[in-house]
Amino acid sequence: MHFTKLRLSGFKSFVDPIELHIEPGLTGVVGPNGCGKSNLVEALRWVMGENSAKRMRGGAMDDVIFNGSQSRGSRNLAEVSLTIDNRDRTAPAGLNDSEELEVIRAIERNSGSAYSINGNEMRARDVQLLFADAASGAHSPSLVSQGRIGEVINAKPVGRRALLEEAAGITGLHSRRHEAELRLRAAENNLERLDDVMQALETQLQNMKRQARQAKRFRKVGEQIRHFEGIQLHLLFQRAEQQVQAAGEELAQANAQVARLTEAAAQATTAHTDAADGLPGLRQAEAVAAAALHRLAVARDGLDQEEQRIAEASAQLQARLQQNEIDQQRESGLGQEAAATIARLEAEAEQLRRQQEAEAAMEAEAAARVSAAMSVLSEAENTLQALTDQVAQGAAEAEALRRGLASAEQRLQRLSQRQEEAKAARARLTAESQDDDRLRLANDELAQARLSAEAAGAQLEQCEAAHGACEETVSRARETSQQAEAKDAQLAAEEKALAELLRQKDADLWPAVIDAVAVEPGFEAALGAALGDDLDVPTDEAAPVHWRTLAVKDDAAGLPAGATPLSRYVKAPAALARRLSQVGVVDDSDATRLVAELAYGQRLVSTSGALWRWDGFTVTAGAETAAAVRLAQGNRLSELGQLRAELAPALAKLQDALVAARDDL
């Protein structure tokens, strides 16, 4: 078994895919310093299972990925493939089916590395054992680098032993022995732990036996307690019977005493009856005397109340006589004040006439004074009416008391004459004011102005109502438009974020086939489970790893009955036709039954992301893949575009309605 080909892609300085053929004999690589000669040796060490970043001259294992330069962008994936000739069948038993073995180690940034041999995923331990059986490996002395010769010469016995074991070809056996020793040591540890568990269980068993003995003792003591309690209750019962007998004797004595007391009570009742027969006569005499006394008391109270009522009536008559005298004096004063007021009004009217003739500018002042005089005259009339009412009341009281009737009648006549004189003066003043043409014109203009003001007020109210309605319309249109704009902005932000997220993977040299795949909503997880990382492979045949377009075979085995081809729900390039035709979509409940009917190379998937492969490989539902997530994001991006297209006409209409409402406002 010897190496035949080394292929690198994105590993350290080898950003572009490169193949190095290792022909029989001696193969040498010559070049200046820094050209990457050491990187080839490190690639061999890395693909053979090196896990130390320091041995790879880096701080972390992700440092083996090309980190970019001034002219080239960084890569997110590095891959090294080593092809081995296995025609002598020296590989482990599980790998001797092929004459050529292709060992591939790939690493993705921030995701770790993975191994595969001839397309089958393998553990790092399996790859290390493969090279250990071939007397090689990542730590093999056959990989000589700078300073390695000095280390071999100055090696300690342990290092020399490793060198001799590799030369003897027993490194794999030593590794397997070490792994077996580890397993035996783990089994011994498990046995020791089992002894500890047995001891703990023995301790628990002893505790449980002790608790069982305590429970038996407790049960025996409880039975004794119940026995003694029964004896105590029997004794208490006997004592209670004795107490009942004693109580019966006491009850008989009490009944005899009650009989004696009852007889004495009967004798006392007879004596009380005899005494009660003489009480009616005495009670009747007492009632007659009490009735006579009550009549005398009532008569006395009536005489006292009559005397008090006569005194109060006399006092009220005296007070009313005094009030009549006071009212007569007040009425005389009010009559004098009314005469003075009428005289003052006549003087003011004369003065107003002189002012109207003298100057037109005094017209407004004269009208105001006339209005004031009219109000004063109205007040005088009211006062006169009040005085008339008071005089009438006084006359009625004078007639009732037969005093002051003559003086009241004379006062009433005088007040009536003064009232007639006041009415005549009012009529005279009214006639004079009506003869003034300028005052009438002013009153007409005032009435017309009031009508104009009322019309303007009504128009103002209509305008305010219309303005309020327009403001409400603008507010509703603005709110609706803002809600639509907010929804469109939210959809646009989500669309932009998804576009940026999906655009991140377009920076590679060859676009992945997933960019040309369209899947119906709900089948993203099924397609992601069926193809997985194969969706990241391009269809460009210039790429080192690519999909080649092959025609679908007519004699290909059909899917089991009940499975729907995944190609019905996927629009993909022709390069995926052969793969998709051998993938069926089923329900999770039918998968167990249909797996046994799968032909070579066929697979079953479900919409929940589960996978059943022809060779028994199974992925349970819920294992989300990056491809499924990206497909779902692509469908969501298309859906967002349709939603925004549907929302655009409605948003334009709302904006037009808002502009129209603002114009109306």
Side-chain angles (χ1 to χ4, degrees), residues 433-513:
S433 62
Q434 289 177 353
D435 292 340
D436 193 351
D437 296 337
R438 289 177 296 175
L439 182 60
R440 185 173 61 254
L441 292 174
N443 291 332
D444 295 340
E445 292 178 357
L446 180 61
Q448 190 173 8
R450 287 177 179 174
L451 293 175
S452 300
E454 292 178 356
Q459 186 176 2
L460 177 61
E461 291 179 356
Q462 295 177 357
C463 291
E464 288 179 349
H467 187 269
C470 290
E471 284 184 341
E472 185 176 359
T473 302
V474 170
S475 177
R476 289 198 302 268
R478 184 186 299 111
E479 183 178 0
T480 306
S481 179
Q482 288 176 355
Q483 292 177 355
E485 289 177 354
K487 183 177 182 181
D488 183 69
Q490 182 180 2
L491 295 177
E494 186 178 359
E495 183 180 16
K496 182 179 179 181
L498 288 177
E500 291 293 336
L501 185 61
L502 295 177
R503 196 177 297 118
Q504 292 177 0
K505 295 187 177 182
D506 294 338
D508 292 337
L509 182 60
W510 295 285
V513 70

Side-chain angles (χ1 to χ4, degrees), residues 505-506 508 510-519 523-540 545-547 566 570-573 575-577 579-580 603 625-632:
K505 295 187 177 182
D506 294 338
D508 292 337
W510 295 285
V513 70
I514 192 174
D515 296 335
V517 174
V519 60
F523 292 89
E524 299 90 346
L527 181 59
L531 295 180
D533 296 338
D534 293 342
L535 288 171
D536 295 331
V537 178
T539 57
D540 190 352
V545 180
H546 60 269
W547 284 94
L566 182 60
V570 179
K571 294 181 179 179
L576 299 180
R579 178 73 169 272
L580 293 176
R603 306 182 183 193
T625 61
V629 173
R630 187 173 182 187
L631 290 170

